[in-house]
Structures are given as structure tokens and as C-alpha cells.
Amino acid sequence: MKKLIKVLRSETGYLTLIVVMLILALVCTRKACAGGQIRTVFLSEMKIETVYVRPGALTILSFPVKPDTAALGPHSPFSLKYIENDIVISGPAGAHTNMFVYLFGRRFGFELKASAGRYDDVVQVRDALSERDKERDKKHGGK
């Protein structure tokens, strides 16, 4: 241990320590910024949510009920597939468009961006209004 402390106190030791810390910072930052995440979004008709689609892979939008329909922007390179309550999305690198999903007479807006660096695996979509109603009911004793 004393030998390690002597090495760290030398100029070479400080330089080594700084290099190791920079490497760790880069690795941690890349993992934090990299995709592969599952997240939940609370949407209303007044909000557009960005969804990052990994080129060559699938991204899933998961809804509490089966969506009625979805509309992509004109000339969109993205493809959609409906599976139960999910919409499965794929698209090529660099692609982007907007998409609107309709369910229960409500419309939810999305901006789709194909990105290899930051991407979503699964986006759980929830209705912000119904969540507000649940919170209000909890505050007022379930009324």
C-alpha cells in the first residue's frame, strides 16, 4: 500500500491516475448516453414525445390498450407493425418523421428519430390525464 501511495505521489503516478479517471469517465458517460433503455412517458394531446429508433433493430411503443391506428409523416422510411397493445417501429439510419397514434378518441404525437447512439428499446406510453385523475382520487380519498 505504501508503495502504491509513493507511485501515485510521483508525476508519473498523477498522470496515470488522471488517464485512468478520464477513461472511466468516458466509459461511464458513453453507457449513460447509449441507448437500450425502457422508459415510461406520460403524454397529452399537447405534447410531442421524441422516440429514438435504433437503425437495424426494433423499438416498441407499448400502450395500455390496443391503438386504433397510427399515421406516419409523408414519405416516411419507417415501418410499423401492430402486435397486441404495441406498435413495433423500425427505420434506417438518419431517418426522421412524425407519427400520430389514435386510441380511445385521443391523439398522441411522436417525433421518430433513427439514432445508433441514443435509442429506445421500449417506450411505455401512458395518458397524462388519466394519471392526473388517479393522483386527484388518491388525494381526495378515492372520490
Side-chain angles (χ1 to χ4, degrees):
M1 186 69 168
K2 287 182 181 181
K3 191 174 184 179
L4 177 62
I5 292 171
K6 280 184 183 180
V7 170
L8 289 177
R9 286 188 179 165
S10 70
E11 284 184 37
T12 307
Y14 282 126
L15 183 59
T16 304
L17 183 61
I18 290 171
V19 169
V20 168
M21 288 173 54
L22 285 173
I23 290 171
L24 285 174
L26 285 172
V27 168
C28 292
T29 302
R30 293 197 90 176
K31 283 187 177 184
C33 292
Q37 62 180 347
I38 298 172
R39 64 185 173 110
T40 302
V41 296
F42 296 92
L43 297 183
S44 70
E45 293 179 307
M46 304 300 290
K47 182 180 178 185
I48 304 291
E49 183 69 32
T50 301
V51 174
Y52 298 94
V53 178
R54 183 177 176 192
L58 301 174
T59 295
I60 296 174
L61 293 182
S62 182
F63 296 87
V65 296
K66 187 174 183 173
D68 296 325
T69 191
L72 286 169
H75 312 294
S76 173
F78 289 92
S79 66
L80 303 179
K81 183 175 182 176
Y82 296 87
I83 301 175
E84 307 270 331
N85 294 357
D86 297 343
I87 296 177
V88 180
I89 306 168
S90 62
H96 65 278
T97 193
N98 62 345
M99 177 179 76
F100 293 95
V101 177
Y102 296 84
L103 64 154
F104 281 142
R106 303 281 312 278
R107 177 186 64 234
F108 297 103
F110 299 91
E111 180 179 357
L112 303 179
K113 291 184 178 182
S115 169
R118 177 178 181 182
Y119 60 89
D120 296 307
D121 284 324
V122 178
V123 178
Q124 296 176 330
V125 180
R126 300 298 179 253
D127 189 337
L129 292 179
S130 67
E131 290 301 316
R132 253 188 260 142
D133 291 344
K134 287 178 189 176
E135 289 299 317
R136 186 190 64 227
D137 289 348
K138 283 182 187 176
K139 286 181 183 178
H140 299 331
K143 295 180 182 178

